[in-house]
Amino acid sequence: MRYRRFGKTNLDLSVFSLGTMRYLASPENAYLTIQRAISLGINHIETAQGYGQSESFLGEAILAGLSIERSQLYITTKISPTPNPDQLEQQIDQSLKRLNLDYLDCLAIHGINTTEHLEQTLQGLSGVEKAISDGRVHYLGFSTHAPLEVILAAINTDLFQFVNLHYYYFFQRNAPAIELAFEKDMGIFIISPGDKGGQLYTPSETLKTLCDPISPLTLTYRFLLSDSHITTLSLGAATPDELDEPLKVADQYGQLTLEEIAIFQQLETQKIGKLGTDLCSQCYQCLPCPEQINIPEVLRLRNLAVAYDMTDFGKYRYRMFENAGHWFPGRKANRCNDCGDCLPRCPEQLDIPTLLRDTHERLKGTEGRRLWE
């Protein structure tokens, strides 16, 4: 296991962190998963009030005793934004009680996903400041599924020491946020690269072939670990044995090898060849859509389905539209009414309405909700 400085917190975190959204089968399973993670060198555990019984299970494990000193184990929890300082402080105390802790190493405001969430957080921040002043919280950050401009605005407040965000090989929209956070010496935590980064635990045969002899999961971890701006990657193991395979690359943090670079070039060549003139370049100039369709994200999922046969991943994410609120905003592609508003703004001159309809037919399916719901 390698360790990196978590920005201005000066905490040395393992390059993989244990995310606790999926270990909810039982307190016993949670305990065994946590102990296994620690034995493999993970020293950072991330939970949230919104993750069902995750905090309580972690708290039971802490009470039972873990094979690591508290001073060497870093714990982050996340609480919802609110403009009420007293409510924020109350949430902090609730988490501390469930976790059986007298302080949190890191506290994140969970889901600054809109401008309104950012404004609410700023209004209520005195509740967190009180907890920081008396030692209940050491460092403050935020997690986000927001549009890029909201993430940049939150970073530019200079109020946060770290950020949890989405950024992967197959989703590089947030690269400017990574750069800005690094410039401001913030810790950078990447959310769920194995799952949200493409369901890479179960990749398509096409993707496996293109990445051979390296697995797609290892390749995406290497893409992130080779970036010295990034501190740590979330690893959301549901059971202890799910930790073993991913952590084989926990010490491979150097620059990309020539073989890895060649594979990434092959992936780009495949994408261009398969999509041709239908390739969406993800410039986002098509927004806003009068029907509130998240056109770039819809077409990103189409890119992946057509280029790499990542249809299952596309269906998994596409069904979240209209079903996950601000966590995954936008309406489904069949809401397009051919108004043509986006067409003159597309530098690629894509037939966006036709591509939207095609995406809906490819990826439509049953509705889904976030895992902890």
Side-chain angles (χ1 to χ4, degrees), residues 143-199:
S143 72
T144 181
H145 297 228
L148 177 60
E149 57 271 16
V150 175
I151 302 175
L152 296 175
I155 293 171
N156 274 322
T157 63
D158 293 321
L159 295 170
F160 303 102
Q161 285 81 55
F162 65 93
V163 58
N164 303 6
L165 78 169
H166 294 279
Y167 174 73
Y168 323 109
Y169 173 72
F170 290 123
F171 177 75
Q172 298 184 40
R173 171 68 174 170
N174 288 337
I178 299 283
E179 290 292 333
L180 182 61
F182 182 76
E183 288 172 13
K184 291 182 176 290
D185 197 25
M186 295 174 66
I188 298 172
F189 180 108
I190 301 300
I191 300 170
S192 186
D195 183 54
K196 304 301 189 298
Q199 280 192 321

Side-chain angles (χ1 to χ4, degrees), residues 216-238:
L217 182 62
T218 295
L219 200 66
T220 200
Y221 286 150
R222 284 287 299 126
F223 173 78
L224 296 168
L225 291 173
S226 68
D227 187 339
S228 60
H229 294 14
I230 293 167
T231 310
T232 187
L233 318 179
S234 175
L235 180 52

Side-chain angles (χ1 to χ4, degrees), residues 99-345:
L99 290 163
N100 289 309
L101 296 175
D102 54 11
Y103 72 91
L104 294 164
D105 299 280
C106 298
L107 174 74
I109 305 301
H110 193 188
I112 297 183
N113 297 336
T114 66
T115 300
E116 292 73 23
H117 289 146
L118 179 56
E119 292 171 351
Q120 290 170 5
T121 298
L122 300 181
Q123 291 169 32
L125 208 57
S126 61
V128 179
E129 290 169 347
K130 183 178 177 182
I132 291 174
S133 67
D134 64 25
R136 283 174 291 167
V137 172
H138 290 180
Y139 303 105
L140 176 66
F142 70 98
S143 72
T144 181
H145 297 228
L148 177 60
E149 57 271 16
V150 175
I151 302 175
L152 296 175
I155 293 171
N156 274 322
T157 63
D158 293 321
L159 295 170
F160 303 102
Q161 285 81 55
F162 65 93
V163 58
N164 303 6
L165 78 169
H166 294 279
Y167 174 73
Y168 323 109
Y169 173 72
F170 290 123
F171 177 75
Q172 298 184 40
R173 171 68 174 170
N174 288 337
I178 299 283
E179 290 292 333
L180 182 61
F182 182 76
E183 288 172 13
K184 291 182 176 290
D185 197 25
M186 295 174 66
I188 298 172
F189 180 108
I190 301 300
I191 300 170
S192 186
D195 183 54
K196 304 301 189 298
Q199 280 192 321
L200 300 175
Y201 292 101
T202 54
S204 70
E205 290 300 318
T206 298
L207 189 58
K208 286 196 289 187
T209 299
L210 288 166
C211 295
D212 188 66
I214 303 173
S215 76
L217 182 62
T218 295
L219 200 66
T220 200
Y221 286 150
R222 284 287 299 126
F223 173 78
L224 296 168
L225 291 173
S226 68
D227 187 339
S228 60
H229 294 14
I230 293 167
T231 310
T232 187
L233 318 179
S234 175
L235 180 52
T239 59
D241 58 358
E242 287 188 4
L243 291 159
D244 295 346
E245 188 66 28
L247 291 185
K248 289 179 179 178
V249 298
D251 62 347
Q252 299 176 26
Y253 67 100
Q255 293 183 346
L256 293 174
T257 65
L258 292 177
E259 181 181 46
E260 290 164 344
I261 291 169
I263 292 172
F264 284 123
Q265 290 173 339
Q266 183 165 286
L267 288 171
E268 289 299 304
T269 299
Q270 169 86 359
K271 180 174 67 175
I272 293 167
K274 280 284 190 176
L275 286 151
T277 57
D278 288 342
L279 173 61
C280 173
S281 64
Q282 297 288 284
C283 70
Y284 279 66
Q285 293 183 39
C286 54
L287 296 181
C289 168
E291 296 301 318
Q292 298 181 326
I293 300 168
N294 189 339
I295 298 171
E297 181 62 11
V298 170
L299 296 188
R300 182 180 78 91
L301 297 177
R302 184 183 185 276
N303 282 353
L304 297 178
V306 172
Y308 311 120
D309 293 327
M310 293 171 65
T311 304
D312 288 343
F313 173 69
K315 289 179 177 179
Y316 157 57
R317 298 304 284 167
Y318 184 77
R319 67 174 178 258
M320 300 300 289
F321 288 125
E322 303 182 31
N323 203 35
H326 56 78
W327 296 97
F328 199 72
R331 303 174 78 199
K332 287 186 166 65
N334 63 333
R335 303 290 187 176
C336 177
N337 63 8
D338 292 295
C339 72
D341 186 73
C342 56
L343 294 175
R345 289 185 271 125

